[in-house]
Amino acid sequence: MQAPIGHFDQATPAPDCLDELTRPIADAVRHWRGSVPAEQIVYVDTDPQWADTLAACVVLSTTRVDVNGVVRRHLGVRKASFASMDTATGETGMEYGGITPVGLPEAWPVLVDAAVVDLPYVLVGSGRRRGKLLVPGKAFAELPGAVVLEGLGVA
């Protein structure tokens, strides 16, 4: 199959390659519910050098998360910061540099910038440093714990 966005040597519907995904991601795909079919989530193999970190906030790559404004106010806290590597990997079961909002612990809020939901597809981690998921933007609004917020990503 050809990836719906980008140029990748191989693209596979995520339900057809669960063995390529970490357990939390495979479980999330296996038990996927919502208006976006799980078959529209696409796994693409990538070089680990392209891995990046991700908190439970999803914004466009051309913006940054407004941690001290929108995030802090939404969570109702005085100070917000990102989890340590040990906490992030230990609680998610994902590799550092591949953490993705798909398959996060259900108790975690997933804050999604409204601009993400408007995109046809978004490239995010696959739970491993190698590989990514191509996920329809509107699917992020349907993740467990998801809240769509205007202005979460700022230029």
Side-chain angles (χ1 to χ4, degrees):
M1 109 178 256
Q2 184 173 355
I5 61 171
H7 303 284
F8 301 93
D9 293 336
Q10 184 176 350
T12 308
D16 295 345
C17 61
L18 297 175
D19 57 325
E20 294 291 330
L21 307 172
T22 60
R23 187 186 50 75
I25 310 312
D27 287 347
V29 170
R30 191 177 291 112
H31 302 292
W32 187 261
R33 301 287 181 266
S35 64
V36 174
E39 291 74 20
Q40 288 186 14
I41 300 171
V42 179
Y43 174 79
V44 293
D45 190 46
T46 58
D47 190 309
Q49 74 173 345
W50 299 110
D52 200 2
T53 58
L54 179 72
C57 295
V58 185
V59 299
L60 301 178
S61 63
T62 56
T63 64
R64 63 179 175 75
V65 177
D66 185 5
V67 176
N68 293 315
V70 175
V71 173
R72 185 183 55 75
R73 283 191 301 275
H74 179 79
L75 297 176
V77 296
R78 275 185 346 125
K79 183 179 177 186
S81 60
F82 293 98
S84 70
M85 180 176 71
D86 289 342
T87 298
T89 57
E91 291 191 21
T92 65
M94 301 179 207
E95 292 179 7
Y96 196 71
I99 296 174
T100 181
V102 177
L104 284 175
E106 289 197 21
W108 285 28
V110 178
L111 309 182
V112 182
D113 188 80
V116 170
V117 177
D118 292 336
L119 292 176
Y121 275 88
V122 178
L123 180 74
V124 295
S126 67
R128 304 181 326 150
R129 290 187 63 79
R130 167 163 235 111
K132 299 286 184 213
L133 295 176
L134 297 172
V135 181
K138 65 183 179 181
F140 290 97
E142 299 177 353
L143 291 173
V147 177
V148 178
L149 298 171
E150 293 286 341
L152 178 62
V154 294

